[in-house]
Amino acid sequence: MADKKFAGVKGTVDSVEVAEDFAAAEQFDKVKVGKLGVYFKEGFRTKYLSYQDFDRVFIRINEVDGKLCCGKSTFQYFRLVFVRDGKEFTDVISENEKAMDDALARIKEHCPEMATGFVK
């Protein structure tokens, strides 16, 4: 029995193999990318998405116009969006563009057949 439990797409995942992959996974801001899947915090749980749980992953850039005391400024944040059966089902938000780009690249390395980025 594993020490750590994960919230998977189909319920709780309690596996020694997944726990070891989580411990060895590479950290990209709020996302960890391992050989078996992707891990991130969702509320008080750690979410685990196996590479079989999603068909596509991409980065969505959101811009927010902020009004400040001395003028205006535009802020950007980046979402790593996961798609299954043509529908977006979860995402991870970050202000670190490089971390999200690196996480997307690492996912592509671990799962080369995965559709990443823009798809027509």
Side-chain angles (χ1 to χ4, degrees):
M1 193 162 206
D3 294 312
K4 187 161 180 67
K5 294 182 182 179
F6 301 91
V9 172
K10 297 175 182 139
T12 303
V13 177
D14 188 10
S15 164
V16 173
E17 187 178 52
V18 173
E20 289 173 353
D21 185 55
F22 173 77
E26 192 172 351
Q27 183 84 39
F28 300 97
D29 196 24
K30 298 176 183 177
V31 179
K32 288 182 92 167
V33 179
K35 293 181 181 178
L36 300 179
V38 180
Y39 308 87
F40 55 91
K41 286 286 196 187
E42 187 176 73
F44 293 113
R45 306 176 302 168
T46 300
K47 188 82 170 176
Y48 163 63
L49 300 178
S50 163
Y51 292 122
Q52 288 75 42
D53 291 336
F54 56 98
D55 309 323
R56 178 175 164 230
V57 62
F58 66 93
I59 295 174
R60 175 174 288 137
I61 303 170
N62 294 99
E63 288 188 349
V64 177
D65 291 327
K67 291 184 180 180
L68 307 171
C69 62
C70 55
K72 294 182 190 178
S73 184
T74 301
F75 302 96
Q76 290 183 331
Y77 59 95
F78 308 89
R79 292 180 180 270
L80 190 61
V81 181
F82 297 91
V83 178
R84 178 180 56 228
D85 298 328
K87 296 188 178 170
E88 299 173 11
F89 69 97
T90 193
D91 63 6
V92 182
I93 189 170
S94 173
E95 293 179 4
N96 188 336
E97 182 179 15
K98 181 173 176 5
M100 293 296 102
D101 288 342
D102 292 347
L104 188 65
R106 187 71 66 214
I107 291 169
K108 187 69 174 175
E109 281 180 26
H110 288 299
C111 191
E113 66 276 3
M114 178 73 58
T116 57
F118 177 76
V119 177
K120 286 187 179 182

